[in-house]
Amino acid sequence: MTTGQPGTGSARPTPTGDTHIRPATPPATGTPTPVVRTAGTASNTATSDAASNAGSKDGGTDAGAKDGGTDAGAKDGKADAASSMASAPSDAVAENNTAKDNDVRADAAPDTSANAATATDGASKPDPAKGETAKGKTAKSETATEDAAKDSSEKDDSGKSEAAGDGDGEGKPVGPERWDAFASAPEPVATRRSRAARAVGRFLIHEWTLATLGALALAVLMTWPTLRYPRYTLPQDYWDPSLQAWQMAWSGHILLTDPSHLWQSNTFFPELWSFAFSDTLLGYAPAGMLGSGPEDAVLRYNIMFVLAHALATLGAYALARQLGSGRIGAAVAGVAYTYAPWLLAQAGHLHVLSNGGIPLALAMLARGHGWSLRQGYRPERRHDGWVYAGWLVAAWQLTLGFGIGLPFAYFLAGAVVVAAVLFYARRLRIGQALPFGRRLFVADLVGGVLFAGVGLLMAIPFFKVTELHPNAERTVADISIFSPPASGFVTAPAESRIWGGLHEGARAALPWHPEMTLLPGFVLYALAAGGLFFSVWRLRHRLLLLAGVLVTMAFAMGTRFFDGTFTYIPLFEHAPGWSALRTPGRLMLWTTLLLALLAAGAVTALTDRVRELAAQRIPSWPGPWLRLATLLPLLLVTIEGLNTTPHPVVPTQPAALRTAEGPLLVLPSNQSLDQHVMLWSTSGFPDVVNGGSGFTPRQLDDVRRVSQSFPDQTSVDYLRTLGVRTVVLLRGQVPGTPWEITIDTPVESLGITRQEIGDAVVYRL
């Protein structure tokens, strides 16, 4: 666009002697009207050096006259590229030469190159010597210009630049074909493969995909070397993990073969309801359907051990996010909840570590009801699908065992009652009910019935066991043995890499330190304490979380908190099923979750403040360093969760047990060795008298007592009465037992046979 300012390369030349620019003379009839100069035409008009020189020789003192010489340049072969765009400048020259005042026209065609601009500036100065002959050459110049215009129009490929004259000098709009080469390329049509690739890409970078993958990767690292030799080692020890590996294998096997005998397991023969002698991990039955034999059972256990940690991290992360925490704060909550130091002492109890369904179900239920701790109740966020999913996950969590599931069930029941009371209280206070919806009510009703039904079906076998085995019931004295003192809340287990060695003296003062070292982490304590004063949660919510922490600690102390008179004992005596829980310290799980939520509020407030500080700086330095510092709480919580958990090698299955026919008895028999026998029995699941659980049935006690003298007539007759057909005596386990003497005794007089198979002696009754 011309501005008339000197030094810009687009100055408007002024003839000598004129003091102002006179208005242009209207074009004569039949004369082509010049194209209106626009930014588009100005940027695409080219002029050669030859055209500029020709224009100046013809006496043209304006830009239009100079540009009109492009035809001459084309004849010299130096302006081929510019000839296709010569129509508009030629028209401008025709009008300029027709006007008798030889004044400057504002519609002169511009240059698009640096050389053309220089030539124009050089030719814009008036030449008095040549000005005398300018008028005499007007007719000749006009005729030449018209010929040049016609020739240029014929050479123009687009054929759309010929101007149409109207009285006001306005030009026809230029056709779109001319500018196709300058247009952006059209968007490619998405193919099915490209759409699928984009969908996969969006899925891979989604927050929940990254959170899931992060939880899995962290679980593998934090439980290492669990997956180093997953078919041959077990974490912590090989007693309770062997029992739980058998439980998963049995549930998967029997549901595929004969579901009606689920609770009548192949162990503790000939006892009834033997699968309910301890927590069942029934929820892992689908995994138990894959593979067979002891090695596959060990592999399955190790995989589920790692996945349980990953699910706990993801569940706590989801709950913190739903309640209003930021991503880093939620990550701190997830790691603190899963890898709290006190849980390292529970590494051999998969049913305790399998707690991820608790926070995940709570997150889903809160999401379905449109409620969060930070934003409160938002009716527009309701979704009955999440409610159904939440109740399903809660029911699944209950199938993993009542040791963790029963307190969860009571918490859900209490939450439903409190929510209903608050809902109707607000309705009475403000005179109108909050929007809830029939679909949401139906979802809660169906989900609650499903949850209660699963709980009832799971509880029936356990009630049967307590009827048949009164010694299975717990007493207050049993609770007292496992009740931790207050010092347990600041004492770490031996498996803690950071605090284990430092707390050795404190552990020695505890009566039963595996269930009494309840340190959730000093970093978690500090973050939660900070969350009481600096947090995104409202003050009343912080106080409620603090109250929950103190109450759950009091319950976790069992009879050590004022003898449990106002806490644990009332539940033990009156709450259905609570008498089966003999380890109050495991309620520390709820304390840890509440502390993690307090910590998440503090970390989220910190990250929000850092983001504000970074936004106030221009440039944002040192914003990246401040944001990196927000990862420090997550790093500290992770480091405090590092462990030194041992991974012993599982005893190899004796060759005799691979082919032995049941029902059979393996000697020696005791609580620890029988758990190995249960694992070995996964090869075909023959009925075995052996078994290990939270209590010992009286009949198994009798078998162990009578078989001390095996092989003799009394023990043989007794075992035949029970239906036992085979006895396997393990040579590697007999040193220091009565069988060390009798293992080689002849048995022909007893009417039984004896056979050496590997490192075992097989007796067939």
Side-chain angles (χ1 to χ4, degrees), residues 309-637:
H309 285 81
L311 181 61
T313 304
L314 183 63
Y317 177 89
L319 179 59
R321 287 288 284 151
Q322 173 58 32
L323 294 182
S325 171
R327 291 183 177 88
I328 298 179
V332 169
V335 174
Y337 174 74
T338 307
Y339 303 102
W342 76 272
L343 283 170
L344 298 177
Q346 305 292 333
H349 301 141
L350 185 57
H351 61 291
V352 177
L353 300 177
S354 300
N355 53 59
I358 294 176
L360 184 60
L362 294 177
M364 289 179 171
L365 290 172
R367 172 65 180 86
H369 289 85
W371 185 85
S372 72
L373 203 61
R374 197 171 180 180
Q375 286 85 21
Y377 179 58
R378 293 176 290 176
E380 70 278 3
R381 300 275 293 174
R382 293 170 297 168
H383 196 293
D384 58 319
W386 285 110
V387 176
Y388 284 114
W391 284 112
L392 283 174
V393 173
W396 173 79
Q397 177 66 52
L398 203 58
T399 63
L400 296 177
F402 282 114
I404 297 299
L406 188 64
F408 177 48
Y410 278 106
F411 174 82
L412 278 181
V416 170
V417 172
V418 170
V421 170
L422 293 177
F423 183 84
Y424 285 104
R426 180 166 181 173
R427 179 178 181 178
L428 294 176
R429 186 174 69 253
I430 65 177
Q432 61 181 4
L434 291 173
F436 192 77
R438 180 177 301 176
R439 295 180 59 181
L440 206 62
F441 177 78
V442 171
D444 279 323
L445 182 62
V446 173
V449 170
L450 173 66
F451 179 80
V454 170
L456 181 61
L457 291 176
M458 290 288 297
I460 290 176
F462 290 93
F463 285 125
K464 292 287 187 180
V465 169
T466 56
E467 291 177 3
L468 297 173
H469 306 278
N471 61 318
E473 294 186 6
R474 313 300 182 186
T475 64
V476 175
D478 296 329
I479 305 302
S480 300
I481 294 175
F482 297 101
S483 296
S487 61
F489 296 122
V490 292
T491 305
E495 293 81 3
S496 173
R497 184 176 294 274
I498 304 299
W499 309 114
L502 298 174
H503 292 183
E504 184 177 357
R507 286 194 303 274
L510 299 175
W512 185 252
H513 66 81
E515 296 289 350
M516 296 182 180
T517 50
L518 303 179
L519 174 68
F522 290 113
V523 175
L524 183 58
Y525 276 143
L527 292 175
L532 294 174
F533 305 97
F534 181 70
S535 177
V536 294
W537 312 135
R538 295 183 179 89
L539 178 60
R540 66 175 183 271
H541 293 153
R542 284 178 263 166
L543 295 178
L544 286 174
L545 290 173
L546 175 61
V549 168
L550 298 177
V551 169
T552 53
M553 279 185 166
F555 276 92
M557 293 178 66
T559 58
R560 294 296 187 103
F561 186 80
F562 297 103
D563 296 329
T565 305
F566 306 103
T567 55
Y568 203 88
I569 298 302
L571 291 176
F572 181 83
E573 294 179 345
H574 303 291
W578 203 275
S579 59
L581 308 181
R582 64 172 180 173
T583 51
R586 294 176 183 176
L587 292 175
M588 192 66 186
L589 185 71
W590 293 91
T591 306
T592 306
L593 181 59
L594 297 174
L595 289 172
L597 293 178
L598 276 173
V603 175
T604 301
L606 173 64
T607 55
D608 289 350
R609 182 56 179 162
V610 166
R611 192 177 297 109
E612 294 173 1
L613 291 176
Q616 293 172 4
R617 290 178 170 83
I618 302 177
S620 61
W621 186 89
W625 295 104
L626 284 175
R627 294 184 182 183
L628 186 63
T630 60
L631 296 176
L632 184 61
L634 178 60
L635 179 63
L636 293 176
V637 169

Side-chain angles (χ1 to χ4, degrees), residues 247-249 251-253 255 281-290 300 396:
Q247 287 174 328
M248 286 188 283
S251 59
H253 162 76
L255 289 178
L281 294 175
L282 184 60
Y284 290 152
M289 297 177 182
L290 304 176
R300 184 186 304 113
W396 173 79

Side-chain angles (χ1 to χ4, degrees), residues 238-239 242-243 246 267-268 665-681 688-693 696 700-701 703-704 730:
Y238 43 56
W239 293 302
S242 294
L243 162 66
W246 166 82
T267 59
F268 294 100
L665 170 66
V666 180
L667 296 175
S669 174
N670 56 52
Q671 175 73 12
S672 299
L673 293 177
D674 281 5
Q675 291 174 333
H676 296 157
V677 175
M678 299 173 78
L679 176 61
W680 296 334
S681 72
V688 294
V689 179
N690 307 75
S693 69
T696 302
L700 182 56
D701 268 340
V703 170
R704 290 172 179 171
L730 304 178

Side-chain angles (χ1 to χ4, degrees), residues 648-739:
V649 178
V650 180
T652 305
Q653 180 190 28
L657 290 180
R658 298 172 190 168
T659 58
E661 296 181 0
L664 62 89
L665 170 66
V666 180
L667 296 175
S669 174
N670 56 52
Q671 175 73 12
S672 299
L673 293 177
D674 281 5
Q675 291 174 333
H676 296 157
V677 175
M678 299 173 78
L679 176 61
W680 296 334
S681 72
T682 56
S683 293
F685 293 95
D687 290 333
V688 294
V689 179
N690 307 75
S693 69
F695 77 100
T696 302
R698 291 180 178 176
Q699 182 170 273
L700 182 56
D701 268 340
D702 293 339
V703 170
R704 290 172 179 171
R705 177 177 52 81
V706 173
S707 61
Q708 292 285 325
S709 59
F710 185 87
D712 66 349
Q713 195 62 53
T714 302
S715 59
V716 170
D717 292 342
Y718 179 75
L719 294 176
R720 282 174 173 168
T721 302
L722 294 178
V724 177
R725 300 176 58 186
T726 307
V727 176
V728 179
L729 188 57
L730 304 178
R731 284 188 177 272
Q733 302 293 334
V734 298
T737 67
W739 298 285

